[in-house]
């Protein structure tokens, strides 16, 4: 069981940032309105995610850390509404780190805690907590030195975590995110009011971007594209400024990225990168987001349609911006 978990962990848990992604997605699935992420040592020594979601009942705590015990498959694979659906994240994390779950379900008398270390479970036992869930991951990969060796510096891992949170936050403007820790300067993204989603984009990408970007809104054969395209900006390092979402899920898909590059090709000067936020929404049956457990790649039934929509919309926006 533990070996299988460790193999699965290799798929789900590549680095601290992938742990943060899974845990924050769980918090969002639980309806959290506030999510706090604390890190230490680039997330290698500590990750702590605190949310105010519906919590986990005592009886379900042991199930939550067992493989393939997801509460989210009720609608079948075709109708995946929630972000998580594999039931692999927590057991995988528990097999390569010291994991603790403390939770108080809505309406429950008290909180309970369960610990997992090296695949062994302790608890649940009573603990102190208001409503919600606190998940702590300590000493990630301490039992898998080979993987530990592949991690980058604390600083690099820490900024990868920031990047994951920024990307998720854009898709959940009504949720307050707080990112803190001894290894970083704190970031607070206040929840924005409905209709003011642009404010979240401004919090994450800067008012410079939102003031100089063009709103995208186009649809073709059941695929809708909304978002913002900005002028290519100078930015050192790689192209970290393309935010893409498919049905509300952050993705980093090769086809979408290449469509963006293609759309911007004419407008690009040297050392500049496209800056854009793209929300693609389509029938879940026309897209497979389940290609990889890390859930970053997608497979569209009609990639040409999506590509055409992205390229066409951004080119039209560019023409307007250039006026
Ligand atoms: P999945 O999210 O794919 O179902 P996970 O291993 O990520 O699998 O989580 C296992 C289960 O634990 C979830 O299905 C959910 O019921 C519960 N859970 C995990 N995190 C939270 C949380 N922050 N709040 C409430 N329930 C949670
Ligand atoms: Mg999950």
């Amino acid at each position: 069981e533990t070996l299988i978990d460790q193999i699965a962990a290799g798929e789900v848990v590549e680095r601290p940032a992938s742990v943060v992604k899974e845990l924050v997605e769980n918090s969002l699935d639980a309806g959290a309105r506030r999510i706090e992420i604390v890190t230490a040592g680039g997330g290698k020594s500590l990750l702590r995610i605190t949310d105010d979601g519906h919590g986990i009942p005592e009886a379900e705590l042991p199930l939550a850390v067992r493989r393939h015990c997801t509460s989210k498959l009720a609608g079948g694979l075709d109708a995946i509404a929630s972000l998580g659906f594999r039931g692999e994240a927590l057991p995988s994390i528990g097999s390569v780190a010291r994991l603790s779950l403390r939770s108080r379900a809505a309406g429950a008398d008290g909180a309970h805690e369960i610990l997992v270390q090296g695949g062994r479970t302790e608890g649940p036992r009573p603990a102190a907590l208001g409503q919600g869930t606190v998940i702590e991951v300590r000493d990630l990969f301490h039992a898998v030195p080979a993987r530990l060796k592949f991690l980058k510096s604390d600083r690099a891992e820490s900024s990868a975590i920031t990047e994951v949170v920024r990307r998720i936050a854009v898709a959940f403007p009504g949720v307050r995110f707080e990112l803190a820790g001894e290894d970083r300067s704190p970031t607070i993204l206040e929840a924005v009011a409905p209709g003011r989603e642009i404010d979240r984009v401004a919090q994450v990408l800067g008012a410079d971007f939102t003031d100089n970007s063009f709103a995208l809104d186009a649809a073709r054969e059941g695929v809708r594209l909304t978002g913002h395209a900005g002028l290519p900006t100078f930015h050192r390092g790689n192209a970290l400024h393309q935010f893409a979402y498919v049905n509300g899920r952050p993705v980093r898909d090769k086809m979408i990225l290449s469509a963006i590059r293609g759309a911007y090709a004419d407008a690009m000067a040297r050392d500049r990168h496209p800056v854009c936020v793209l929300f693609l929404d389509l029938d879940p049956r026309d897209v497979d987001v389940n290609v990889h457990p890390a859930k970053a790649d997608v497979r569209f039934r009609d990639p040409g349609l999506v590509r055409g929509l992205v390229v066409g919309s951004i080119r039209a926006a560019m023409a307007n911006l250039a006026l």
Side-chain angles (χ1 to χ4, degrees):
E1 209 19 34
T2 304
L3 181 62
I4 293 169
D5 280 338
Q6 285 189 356
I7 292 166
E11 304 250 289
V12 181
V13 183
E14 250 172 63
R15 57 193 298 196
S18 37
V19 175
V20 169
K21 178 172 181 289
E22 293 292 334
L23 298 184
V24 169
E25 286 183 347
N26 282 347
S27 297
L28 291 165
D29 285 343
R33 309 308 293 169
R34 300 168 71 103
I35 302 175
E36 185 198 54
I37 302 115
V38 174
T39 69
K44 298 173 211 171
S45 45
L46 171 72
L47 291 169
R48 183 169 55 235
I49 320 289
T50 305
D51 71 52
D52 63 351
H54 60 52
I56 311 173
E58 180 188 357
E60 283 172 30
L61 276 173
L63 300 176
V65 296
R66 207 169 293 158
R67 251 166 83 72
H68 298 299
C69 278
T70 177
S71 55
K72 298 172 189 168
L73 265 177
L77 272 174
D78 262 2
I80 294 155
S82 58
L83 297 168
F85 53 88
R86 299 176 150 266
E88 272 184 12
L90 292 180
S92 296
I93 296 163
S95 73
V96 293
R98 294 196 284 143
L99 171 69
S100 104
L101 272 74
R102 199 161 15 122
S103 193
R104 179 174 183 153
D109 283 345
H112 287 85
E113 176 177 51
I114 194 166
L115 309 175
V116 186
Q117 191 175 346
R120 281 199 30 226
T121 303
E122 244 179 75
R125 60 185 178 218
L129 184 71
Q131 200 206 309
T133 303
V134 183
I135 300 198
E136 245 178 45
V137 179
R138 286 183 186 274
D139 305 327
L140 184 62
F141 299 134
H142 69 284
V144 198
R147 183 157 289 264
L148 203 51
K149 262 200 305 216
F150 279 101
L151 295 183
K152 302 204 173 103
S153 67
D154 288 6
R155 201 186 157 138
E157 295 300 337
S158 177
S159 58
I161 291 168
T162 308
E163 199 49 34
V164 160
V165 174
R166 272 161 40 97
R167 275 172 198 274
I168 295 177
V170 167
F172 293 86
V175 177
R176 180 186 193 276
F177 290 87
E178 184 171 344
L179 184 52
E182 59 188 31
D183 57 346
R184 61 175 67 245
S185 47
T187 304
I188 296 175
L189 303 172
E190 295 292 351
V192 308
R196 296 294 311 169
E197 289 78 10
I198 184 89
D199 293 347
R200 175 52 60 83
V201 178
Q203 288 171 343
V204 171
L205 279 146
D208 246 21
F209 167 70
T210 46
D211 291 349
N212 298 295
S213 68
F214 199 84
L216 306 170
D217 193 352
R220 205 180 282 176
E221 291 170 53
V223 185
R224 177 145 187 244
L225 171 67
T226 53
H228 312 272
L231 287 167
T233 57
F234 172 76
H235 194 268
R236 268 178 301 139
N238 54 6
L240 275 174
H241 290 252
Q242 295 103 52
F243 289 62
Y245 302 84
V246 173
N247 291 341
R249 200 191 281 271
V251 298
R252 201 179 292 223
D253 177 70
K254 283 199 193 70
M255 187 277 287
I256 297 176
L257 290 176
S258 119
I260 294 170
R261 269 197 308 276
Y264 272 88
D266 294 341
M268 295 285 278
R270 258 195 314 141
D271 296 335
R272 286 178 184 262
H273 296 287
V275 193
C276 59
V277 179
L278 307 183
F279 297 103
L280 284 158
D281 289 284
L282 67 166
D283 190 323
R285 286 169 301 188
D286 289 340
V287 61
D288 180 9
V289 285
N290 194 16
V291 179
H292 184 271
K295 291 172 262 178
D297 262 318
V298 285
R299 201 169 284 149
F300 295 99
R301 180 178 292 186
D302 188 349
L305 171 67
V306 176
R307 189 186 173 88
L309 186 63
V310 169
V311 174
S313 305
I314 294 179
R315 286 225 170 116
M318 283 293 108
N320 278 304
L321 274 170
L323 286 181

